[in-house]
Amino acid sequence: MLSLKLPRLFSIDQIPQVFHEQGILFGYRHPQSSATACILSLFQMTNETLNIWTHLLPFWFFVWRFVTALYMTDIKNDSYSWPMLVYMCTSCVYPLVSSCAHTFSSMSKNARHICYFLDYGAVNLFSLGSAIAYSAYTFPDALVCTTFHDYYVALAVLNTTLSTGLSCYSRLHQNSHSTKSLGAWLCIHCTGFLTLQSCGPRGRTEPSTVHLSIDAGTIPVPTTWPWLPNQHWFLEIKKPILCKVIRILAFAYPYIWDSLPIFYRLFLIPGESAQNEASLYHQKHMIMTLLASFLYSAHLPERLAPGRFDYIGHSHQLFHVCVILATHLQMEAILLDKTLRKEWLLATSKPFSFSQIAGAILLCIIFSLGNIIYFSAALYRTPEPELRKKET
């Protein structure tokens, strides 16, 4: 009979610091796992298993919603529905990329960072998709076709690009050239957005020794160990709190920008056409997003009881669930606005053209991939020893 051997799991004192998660003590995968071992871990209870499935299963739900919308839409002639289709497509992308990132992040130190670079890019692509849908359907009456409305999506593209760069930077930090590198990066990425409109006109240190506990005891291991290369590069290890703050801010400000029309609509003057049942869904979406942000930043409950929530119930799993619920509520709100405000919006504003939507998405993808390639290349600037044989 054919038997399947699942990969061995490790505790926190058996793996490099770069793989540590606050409050999580057990259930870590081999830090040099093969792709096969990563895939097998989908069917093994590790501290990443539910992180994967809490996004992989909703991915198929959002695909079903997207395919259904495609089937019911005259794509060629119904330009009014294009922003909604783009939004629904991006809502499929980020759960898939997130589940893949959590699946393959244990292949190596570099693979871990690159996986999450891609994850950040996908989240920001979804942010842009949300901005496009908000611009098309949810703007309060008083802001439709204003200068703010005209440049809303263009600035959302800039925000997503800067957000991807900052979130990637929060993982990678080169001591002697960090300021220069960040300055150069900002100069490169703050150009090229003036023509887009939505509606209108190394330093090194000497190797030291750390202690790595492996099974029966503790042994001295040089920091040039293949699992532990160049750890002085990484902001996550040097300054974990600063790292977290930068990353939270990197995601918070695009959300705040995208949500300005919703804030205006809910707390100031919605306008006659925007006074509908969609507002309740917008409120629920906002509450769920705030809860997700709190869970992501607070590391609760595992911070209060380390080791108790390693497999089920830790904050990142709860964060994933809240994010998915927030996306569902957001989608329902946008669909309601799209339907209930169609007549008023078509009479008041001009729908997005294909070139405007494609241009915004293409610029976001190009600049986000540029960020990911730039920071991924930085991982390989210092030659590293040959890695150990991967666990299969």
Side-chain angles (χ1 to χ4, degrees):
M1 181 180 293
L2 182 64
S3 62
L4 187 64
K5 182 181 179 181
L6 293 175
R8 176 190 172 193
L9 300 182
F10 299 85
S11 62
I12 194 170
D13 58 353
Q14 293 175 295
I15 63 167
Q17 188 177 353
V18 71
F19 290 89
H20 293 186
E21 297 291 347
Q22 185 176 0
I24 308 298
L25 305 184
F26 303 100
Y28 290 93
R29 296 173 293 175
H30 195 287
Q32 291 291 324
S33 298
S34 67
T36 301
C38 289
I39 294 173
L40 287 175
S41 70
L42 283 168
F43 311 101
Q44 177 185 24
M45 186 53 73
T46 74
N47 58 33
E48 285 281 17
T49 304
L50 291 185
N51 288 338
I52 299 168
W53 287 103
T54 50
H55 269 177
L56 188 58
L57 292 178
F59 159 72
W60 293 108
F61 171 74
F62 289 134
V63 167
W64 171 72
R65 296 289 302 268
F66 179 48
V67 172
T68 302
L70 282 175
Y71 180 77
M72 298 176 61
T73 303
D74 181 2
I75 301 174
K76 183 177 180 180
N77 300 313
D78 187 6
S79 61
Y80 177 73
S81 297
W82 290 349
M84 188 69 210
L85 295 176
V86 168
Y87 163 76
M88 297 182 80
C89 180
T90 61
S91 72
C92 296
V93 172
Y94 89 82
L96 176 62
V97 176
S98 173
S99 59
C100 289
H102 284 285
T103 299
F104 298 105
S105 61
S106 64
M107 292 186 68
S108 69
K109 177 267 298 180
N110 286 351
R112 175 180 176 84
H113 291 295
I114 293 171
C115 281
Y116 291 121
F117 292 166
L118 291 169
D119 189 16
Y120 303 150
V123 169
N124 280 288
L125 181 62
F126 172 70
S127 175
L128 178 59
S130 300
I132 291 173
Y134 280 172
S135 180
Y137 310 121
T138 69
F139 258 62
D141 296 4
L143 296 182
V144 172
C145 289
T146 60
T147 301
F148 172 68
H149 194 195
D150 291 345
Y151 290 94
Y152 173 75
V153 172
L155 290 174
V157 175
L158 176 61
N159 290 340
T160 58
T161 303
L162 294 174
S163 175
T164 302
L166 285 174
S167 52
C168 291
Y169 179 78
S170 73
R171 301 192 72 90
L172 180 65
H173 177 73
Q174 294 173 272
N175 292 332
S176 62
H177 297 301
S178 59
T179 304
K180 293 181 180 178
S181 296
L182 182 60
W185 170 82
L186 286 170
C187 290
I188 292 171
H189 290 84
C190 287
T191 60
F193 294 93
L194 296 179
T195 58
L196 178 66
Q197 295 183 22
S198 61
C199 295
R202 160 179 244 236
R204 303 184 189 181
T205 59
E206 292 300 319
S208 58
T209 299
V210 297
H211 286 82
L212 182 65
S213 176
I214 298 183
D215 292 341
T218 302
I219 61 173
V221 180
T223 55
T224 54
W225 184 276
W227 292 359
L228 304 166
N230 306 310
Q231 293 203 37
H232 56 279
W233 276 32
F234 297 101
L235 199 60
E236 277 196 310
I237 294 174
K238 291 172 63 65
K239 300 178 181 179
I241 297 178
L242 177 60
C243 156
K244 198 73 172 184
V245 169
I246 292 175
R247 200 171 303 157
I248 291 171
L249 291 176
F251 290 124
Y253 81 82
Y255 169 77
I256 293 172
W257 173 261
D258 290 353
S259 300
L260 285 177
I262 306 301
F263 297 154
Y264 188 96
R265 176 173 165 175
L266 294 178
F267 304 117
L268 295 175
I269 306 172
E272 184 178 352
S273 75
Q275 290 179 334
N276 56 47
E277 49 264 49
S279 296
L280 179 60
Y281 283 94
H282 285 302
Q283 292 172 356
K284 292 178 179 179
H285 166 249
M286 188 181 303
I287 293 170
M288 196 59 64
T289 302
L290 291 174
L291 179 57
S293 302
F294 170 77
L295 290 169
Y296 180 79
S297 58
H299 291 281
L300 294 174
E302 70 272 12
R303 193 178 68 178
L304 300 179
R308 295 291 184 91
F309 301 94
D310 293 351
Y311 301 96
I312 300 176
H314 63 72
S315 62
H316 204 83
Q317 296 167 359
L318 301 176
F319 163 71
H320 276 199
V321 172
C322 289
V323 166
I324 293 299
L325 290 175
T327 303
H328 172 66
L329 292 168
Q330 181 188 43
M331 189 177 294
E332 292 299 321
I334 294 172
L335 282 169
L336 281 171
D337 276 330
K338 174 180 177 291
T339 301
L340 299 175
R341 303 182 69 200
K342 182 175 181 178
E343 183 177 349
W344 185 87
L345 288 170
L346 288 176
T348 307
S349 61
K350 183 179 179 181
F352 277 104
S353 68
F354 177 81
S355 61
Q356 289 173 326
I357 296 176
I361 294 295
L362 189 60
L363 277 176
C364 177
I365 292 174
I366 289 173
F367 281 100
S368 291
L369 285 177
N371 277 317
I372 293 166
I373 292 170
Y374 173 83
F375 287 103
S376 297
L379 295 171
Y380 297 93
R381 286 177 185 167
T382 294
E384 294 179 2
E386 184 180 353
L387 296 179
R388 281 190 165 189
K389 184 178 179 180
K390 291 181 178 290
E391 179 175 311
T392 57

